[in-house]
Amino acid sequence: MTLRAELNRARRALCSSESADLDAQMLLAHVLGVDRSFLFARPEMLLTDDESARCQVTVDRRAAGEPIAYITGAKGFYDIELRVSPAVLIPRPETELLLEEALRLTERGACIHIADIGTGSGALAIAFARQRPAAKVYASEISGAALAIARQNAERNRAHVCFCEGDLAAPLIESGLQVNLLMANLPYIPTADLAALEVSRYEPRLALDGGVDGLNLFRRLLTQIPSLCSEGAWVLLEIGADQGEAVVKLVRDRVGARCDILQDYAGLDRIARFQL
């Protein structure tokens, strides 16, 4: 079978996807170990039976709903590429908004201390460390499997991040650390909503389940923030699209700070921002 024919077959198999063409291209390029441009430069190239079979298996996985990032083992975030597996949440474009706000609030040459709580794949911590090389970046994660991937991602992206295993900010507080900025993309999906969401089929529940109202981990982190953040520190939290009002109240009641809600490009609540 030619490369063009294999690509067409993949498109048909993925026709229910809104990005069938792109999905097919990414999967075939991954299987063949080539860039997507190669697919169009050599459309008449004949595939071996083994290559064709591997393409079909990969496309079938995607047609069944498995995220492309888990199939290829990689996901782009901001200006870096990350290794991902079912042990970590797949980084989303919305989280880049949190990173951009963190960069806006800091200067490139500033020798400041930064914490990324619940780092997962390390996306926020690593991307920030590359943009602010003078900063001391610390990242915590409760999952040992996720932390192993985050460490690999830091090494492959040549980012200097100090990783700590533990529950939320606890390992950083125990070390006596004080930070000038805290970032967190914590689980914020209400438990009852998970079963109906496609994301729950493949991505780790530990990185998704935010408890009854989705805010359990926010409450716990807010109690830790005074022990970790220095006076004047900024806090940035990614939140669910309908959680802005509730988070503003939580921050006011538990920290005594005024909280602003930043919206994403779709006009939905996405980032809670406050200063101590």
Side-chain angles (χ1 to χ4, degrees), residues 93 98 104 128 224 232 262:
L98 192 156
R104 190 188 70 78
F128 186 92
Q224 297 176 327
L262 309 182

Side-chain angles (χ1 to χ4, degrees), residues 14 25 30-31 43 48 51 66 69 102 104 113 118 134 153 156 192 196 204 235 243 246 254 268:
L14 300 173
Q25 294 164 25
H30 168 70
V31 170
T48 66
E51 288 172 334
E66 186 173 354
R104 190 188 70 78
H113 291 73
N153 283 328
R156 70 187 296 181
V235 177
Q243 294 174 334
R254 298 189 176 227
L268 303 173

Side-chain angles (χ1 to χ4, degrees), residues 9-22:
R9 182 168 73 171
R11 288 192 188 105
R12 291 193 296 272
L14 300 173
C15 62
S16 61
S17 169
E18 295 180 356
S19 55
D21 284 350
L22 179 59

Side-chain angles (χ1 to χ4, degrees), residues 29-271:
H30 168 70
V31 170
L32 300 175
V34 300
D35 294 329
R36 283 169 50 211
S37 59
F38 182 90
L39 306 178
F40 304 103
R42 301 285 300 279
E44 300 306 322
M45 186 186 81
L46 290 174
L47 301 184
T48 66
D49 290 343
D50 177 66
E51 288 172 334
S52 185
R54 286 191 289 120
C55 285
Q56 188 165 0
V57 168
T58 302
V59 169
D60 287 346
R61 289 172 63 185
R62 177 60 185 144
E66 186 173 354
I68 286 182
Y70 288 159
I71 297 172
T72 64
K75 178 67 176 179
F77 179 81
Y78 203 64
D79 63 345
I80 59 176
E81 184 172 81
L82 300 164
R83 176 176 175 250
V84 296
S85 82
V88 298
L89 190 73
I90 298 170
R92 268 44 175 200
E94 293 86 353
T95 305
E96 294 183 6
L97 297 174
L98 192 156
L99 173 65
E100 289 170 355
E101 182 63 14
L103 295 174
R104 190 188 70 78
L105 292 171
T106 57
E107 298 179 3
R108 183 169 179 81
C111 296
I112 54 178
H113 291 73
I114 309 296
D116 175 26
I117 306 301
T119 195
S121 65
L124 281 170
I126 293 166
F128 186 92
R130 284 174 55 87
Q131 294 294 316
R132 298 289 184 266
K136 302 294 185 182
V137 182
Y138 301 84
S140 69
E141 173 57 52
I142 196 170
S143 166
L147 204 57
I149 290 176
R151 288 191 170 110
Q152 292 174 28
N153 283 328
E155 183 176 356
R156 70 187 296 181
N157 284 286
R158 299 180 180 179
H160 298 290
V161 178
C162 177
F163 292 102
C164 304
E165 185 172 354
D167 186 29
L168 295 177
L172 304 184
I173 294 171
E174 290 166 5
S175 70
L177 184 68
Q178 288 274 288
V179 302
N180 309 105
L181 186 146
L182 182 149
M183 308 180 288
N185 179 16
L186 301 175
Y188 54 71
I189 301 175
T191 304
D193 294 348
L194 274 175
L197 299 177
E198 183 73 14
V199 67
S200 67
R201 292 181 57 198
Y202 292 96
E203 300 190 57
R205 189 181 186 93
L206 185 64
L208 298 169
D209 192 343
V212 175
D213 63 354
L215 299 175
N216 279 7
L217 275 79
F218 289 77
R219 293 185 182 91
R220 293 178 51 216
L221 180 61
L222 287 174
T223 65
Q224 297 176 327
I225 280 176
S227 299
L228 178 62
C229 294
S230 60
E231 184 178 354
W234 285 99
V235 177
L236 299 171
L237 308 173
E238 182 168 334
I239 63 174
D242 59 351
Q243 294 174 334
E245 185 177 347
V247 171
V248 167
K249 185 177 185 302
L250 273 178
V251 172
R252 183 182 66 238
D253 293 346
R254 298 189 176 227
V255 184
R258 179 181 180 276
C259 180
D260 297 318
I261 302 298
L262 309 182
Q263 297 183 324
D264 60 23
Y265 295 123
L268 303 173
D269 291 351
R270 189 58 58 194
I271 308 297

